[in-house]
Amino acid sequence: MALTFERSWSDEDLERYRASVARFIETEMLPEDAAARARGHVGHAIWRRSGALGFLCADIPERYGGGGGDFRHEAVFYEEMARRGLTGMSTSVHAIVAHYFLNHGTEAQKERWLPQLARGERVGAIAMTEPGAGSDLQGVATRAERRGEHYVVNGSKTFITNGFLAGVVLVVAKTDPAQGARGTSILIVDTDDCPGFRVGRVLDKIGMKAQDTSELFFDDVRVPAANLLGGVEGQGFFQLMGDLPYERLIIGVAALAGMEGAYAATLDYVRERRAFGKPIAEFQNTRFRLAEVATQIMVGRAFIDRCVERLVAGTLDTATASMAKLWASEAQGRVLDELLQLHGGYGYMNEYLIARMYADARVQRIYGGTNEIMKEVIARSL
Ligand SMILES: Cc1cc2nc3c(=O)[nH]c(=O)nc-3n(C[C@H](O)[C@H](O)[C@H](O)COP(=O)(O)OP(=O)(O)OC[C@H]3O[C@@H](n4cnc5c(N)ncnc54)[C@H](O)[C@@H]3O)c2cc1C
């Protein structure tokens, strides 16, 4: 019997949901991926279509327009994209933005923004990183100064996922620079008709070519005071910390599904490709490599599945979620390197899934907090 990687957290309903997600991705996303990679973004239409089909904000309550499910529904979407090497549409950052609203927003903010995010009418982005501040977010220099009923925002952000298509950006800014972390707040910036807001370049990356990672500039942008997330100044850092387990587990989930997709594609490849009169799948080296990869996936699945269950139960702590991000993204890098090797020269060609996955995977060790920062967080909990 062929090896399968079953999820301990799945059930019949979720597998039915997975089948409809997979159908949508196969028929509507995958055929557009090459064009999106060439263009540098996926465009708005696929976001609206995903929203119309109920695939966005799957774990947001129905009263705010969401799907009323839980993290497992979100995970299904990340997995089905990741195993096909689709990285253009960051529904994960979109979901993280929705969770900031859900967990920290005022009732009015939830009612206004969540339904638009769920419908895909607005794409969500979160802007923390600046040219001078990445891992050390206390160094954020973007300033939001209160003037009457507005904040005036000045600064620049970089590496912002979904930045080019974003309709709402959560901007991390200093409302009181003298207070350090306690002087940091999150401002909700509506990018429609927003004088002083400018999207810079869609950045030229080594992978994730369809992802509109961008620079954002704020030049005397007037943000209504009602758009302070949660309505209280100085809460930014606490709000950022609160959602870390959710954010980090997403990276772990996608890493493992990416490994599974790459493994399946490689199995097909080595059974077809011949050398020295036989399929390369028959060389002992190939079989041993694949056996090692399958073992890593199986071991990883046990840990990631446990983390998914704990997140759904509300008991996943930041250190364990950081382990999931750290371990899975490191394993993904190692595994993709091995699997690419089994493709020979074709593995280096962008028309092959394994080549795109290899380039796309590299950033998993960098964003969402670098893996060095993950080790710091884990070490602090020891
Ligand atoms: C494709 C992509 C998408 C991204 N999306 C977003 C987004 O949507 N929103 C957003 O705000 N940001 C985003 N980022 C930014 C990302 O989160 C940062 O790049 C990351 O946090 C690292 O910050 P940095 O690039 O400034 O590196 P630095 O902080 O300058 O780090 C450089 C090196 O020093 C190491 N280092 C730093 N501090 C320590 C320490 N204390 N101990 C040991 N080593 C340390 C790092 O691990 C790293 O190896 C994205 C980045 C990329 C590449």
PDB file of all heavy atoms in Angstrom, residues 97-108:
ATOM      1  N   VAL A  97      -4.254  39.593   9.140  1.00  0.00           N
ATOM      2  CA  VAL A  97      -4.863  40.923   9.245  1.00  0.00           C
ATOM      3  C   VAL A  97      -6.280  40.791   9.831  1.00  0.00           C
ATOM      4  O   VAL A  97      -6.663  41.519  10.753  1.00  0.00           O
ATOM      5  CB  VAL A  97      -4.891  41.620   7.861  1.00  0.00           C
ATOM      6  CG1 VAL A  97      -5.774  42.869   7.885  1.00  0.00           C
ATOM      7  CG2 VAL A  97      -3.472  41.978   7.428  1.00  0.00           C
ATOM      8  N   ALA A  98      -7.036  39.830   9.307  1.00  0.00           N
ATOM      9  CA  ALA A  98      -8.403  39.619   9.813  1.00  0.00           C
ATOM     10  C   ALA A  98      -8.372  39.305  11.312  1.00  0.00           C
ATOM     11  O   ALA A  98      -9.215  39.775  12.078  1.00  0.00           O
ATOM     12  CB  ALA A  98      -9.085  38.492   9.032  1.00  0.00           C
ATOM     13  N   HIS A  99      -7.377  38.533  11.728  1.00  0.00           N
ATOM     14  CA  HIS A  99      -7.282  38.189  13.152  1.00  0.00           C
ATOM     15  C   HIS A  99      -6.908  39.371  14.032  1.00  0.00           C
ATOM     16  O   HIS A  99      -7.321  39.439  15.187  1.00  0.00           O
ATOM     17  CB  HIS A  99      -6.329  37.013  13.358  1.00  0.00           C
ATOM     18  CG  HIS A  99      -7.042  35.724  13.166  1.00  0.00           C
ATOM     19  ND1 HIS A  99      -7.326  34.865  14.188  1.00  0.00           N
ATOM     20  CD2 HIS A  99      -7.612  35.209  12.059  1.00  0.00           C
ATOM     21  CE1 HIS A  99      -8.026  33.857  13.718  1.00  0.00           C
ATOM     22  NE2 HIS A  99      -8.210  34.035  12.428  1.00  0.00           N
ATOM     23  N   TYR A 100      -6.126  40.305  13.489  1.00  0.00           N
ATOM     24  CA  TYR A 100      -5.853  41.527  14.265  1.00  0.00           C
ATOM     25  C   TYR A 100      -7.158  42.265  14.516  1.00  0.00           C
ATOM     26  O   TYR A 100      -7.408  42.751  15.612  1.00  0.00           O
ATOM     27  CB  TYR A 100      -4.863  42.433  13.534  1.00  0.00           C
ATOM     28  CG  TYR A 100      -3.434  42.018  13.730  1.00  0.00           C
ATOM     29  CD1 TYR A 100      -2.707  41.449  12.706  1.00  0.00           C
ATOM     30  CD2 TYR A 100      -2.807  42.184  14.959  1.00  0.00           C
ATOM     31  CE1 TYR A 100      -1.395  41.049  12.886  1.00  0.00           C
ATOM     32  CE2 TYR A 100      -1.498  41.794  15.153  1.00  0.00           C
ATOM     33  CZ  TYR A 100      -0.802  41.228  14.114  1.00  0.00           C
ATOM     34  OH  TYR A 100       0.495  40.823  14.308  1.00  0.00           O
ATOM     35  N   PHE A 101      -7.986  42.344  13.474  1.00  0.00           N
ATOM     36  CA  PHE A 101      -9.288  43.005  13.660  1.00  0.00           C
ATOM     37  C   PHE A 101     -10.129  42.230  14.669  1.00  0.00           C
ATOM     38  O   PHE A 101     -10.692  42.804  15.602  1.00  0.00           O
ATOM     39  CB  PHE A 101     -10.045  43.109  12.327  1.00  0.00           C
ATOM     40  CG  PHE A 101      -9.562  44.228  11.452  1.00  0.00           C
ATOM     41  CD1 PHE A 101      -8.959  43.974  10.236  1.00  0.00           C
ATOM     42  CD2 PHE A 101      -9.718  45.557  11.858  1.00  0.00           C
ATOM     43  CE1 PHE A 101      -8.511  45.011   9.426  1.00  0.00           C
ATOM     44  CE2 PHE A 101      -9.276  46.601  11.060  1.00  0.00           C
ATOM     45  CZ  PHE A 101      -8.664  46.324   9.838  1.00  0.00           C
ATOM     46  N   LEU A 102     -10.214  40.914  14.477  1.00  0.00           N
ATOM     47  CA  LEU A 102     -11.075  40.098  15.327  1.00  0.00           C
ATOM     48  C   LEU A 102     -10.643  40.158  16.796  1.00  0.00           C
ATOM     49  O   LEU A 102     -11.465  40.322  17.691  1.00  0.00           O
ATOM     50  CB  LEU A 102     -11.056  38.644  14.836  1.00  0.00           C
ATOM     51  CG  LEU A 102     -11.980  37.700  15.594  1.00  0.00           C
ATOM     52  CD1 LEU A 102     -13.437  38.013  15.284  1.00  0.00           C
ATOM     53  CD2 LEU A 102     -11.673  36.239  15.245  1.00  0.00           C
ATOM     54  N   ASN A 103      -9.341  40.041  17.033  1.00  0.00           N
ATOM     55  CA  ASN A 103      -8.852  39.918  18.409  1.00  0.00           C
ATOM     56  C   ASN A 103      -8.603  41.258  19.094  1.00  0.00           C
ATOM     57  O   ASN A 103      -8.615  41.326  20.321  1.00  0.00           O
ATOM     58  CB  ASN A 103      -7.564  39.092  18.451  1.00  0.00           C
ATOM     59  CG  ASN A 103      -7.796  37.671  17.971  1.00  0.00           C
ATOM     60  OD1 ASN A 103      -8.910  37.160  18.084  1.00  0.00           O
ATOM     61  ND2 ASN A 103      -6.775  37.044  17.425  1.00  0.00           N
ATOM     62  N   HIS A 104      -8.354  42.303  18.304  1.00  0.00           N
ATOM     63  CA  HIS A 104      -7.952  43.574  18.924  1.00  0.00           C
ATOM     64  C   HIS A 104      -8.797  44.764  18.490  1.00  0.00           C
ATOM     65  O   HIS A 104      -8.682  45.836  19.087  1.00  0.00           O
ATOM     66  CB  HIS A 104      -6.480  43.865  18.611  1.00  0.00           C
ATOM     67  CG  HIS A 104      -5.566  42.721  18.882  1.00  0.00           C
ATOM     68  ND1 HIS A 104      -5.366  42.221  20.144  1.00  0.00           N
ATOM     69  CD2 HIS A 104      -4.831  41.940  18.047  1.00  0.00           C
ATOM     70  CE1 HIS A 104      -4.525  41.195  20.078  1.00  0.00           C
ATOM     71  NE2 HIS A 104      -4.197  41.007  18.820  1.00  0.00           N
ATOM     72  N   GLY A 105      -9.588  44.612  17.427  1.00  0.00           N
ATOM     73  CA  GLY A 105     -10.335  45.760  16.904  1.00  0.00           C
ATOM     74  C   GLY A 105     -11.524  46.119  17.785  1.00  0.00           C
ATOM     75  O   GLY A 105     -12.002  45.307  18.587  1.00  0.00           O
ATOM     76  N   THR A 106     -12.001  47.352  17.631  1.00  0.00           N
ATOM     77  CA  THR A 106     -13.251  47.738  18.296  1.00  0.00           C
ATOM     78  C   THR A 106     -14.392  47.077  17.517  1.00  0.00           C
ATOM     79  O   THR A 106     -14.204  46.611  16.378  1.00  0.00           O
ATOM     80  CB  THR A 106     -13.454  49.265  18.250  1.00  0.00           C
ATOM     81  OG1 THR A 106     -13.572  49.651  16.872  1.00  0.00           O
ATOM     82  CG2 THR A 106     -12.285  50.017  18.890  1.00  0.00           C
ATOM     83  N   GLU A 107     -15.576  47.056  18.106  1.00  0.00           N
ATOM     84  CA  GLU A 107     -16.710  46.437  17.420  1.00  0.00           C
ATOM     85  C   GLU A 107     -16.951  47.119  16.058  1.00  0.00           C
ATOM     86  O   GLU A 107     -17.184  46.452  15.049  1.00  0.00           O
ATOM     87  CB  GLU A 107     -17.958  46.525  18.314  1.00  0.00           C
ATOM     88  CG  GLU A 107     -19.094  45.625  17.917  1.00  0.00           C
ATOM     89  CD  GLU A 107     -18.710  44.153  17.719  1.00  0.00           C
ATOM     90  OE1 GLU A 107     -17.861  43.629  18.462  1.00  0.00           O
ATOM     91  OE2 GLU A 107     -19.277  43.536  16.786  1.00  0.00           O
ATOM     92  N   ALA A 108     -16.857  48.444  16.047  1.00  0.00           N
ATOM     93  CA  ALA A 108     -17.089  49.184  14.792  1.00  0.00           C
ATOM     94  C   ALA A 108     -16.039  48.796  13.749  1.00  0.00           C
ATOM     95  O   ALA A 108     -16.360  48.646  12.559  1.00  0.00           O
ATOM     96  CB  ALA A 108     -17.044  50.683  15.059  1.00  0.00           C
TER      97      ALA A 108
END
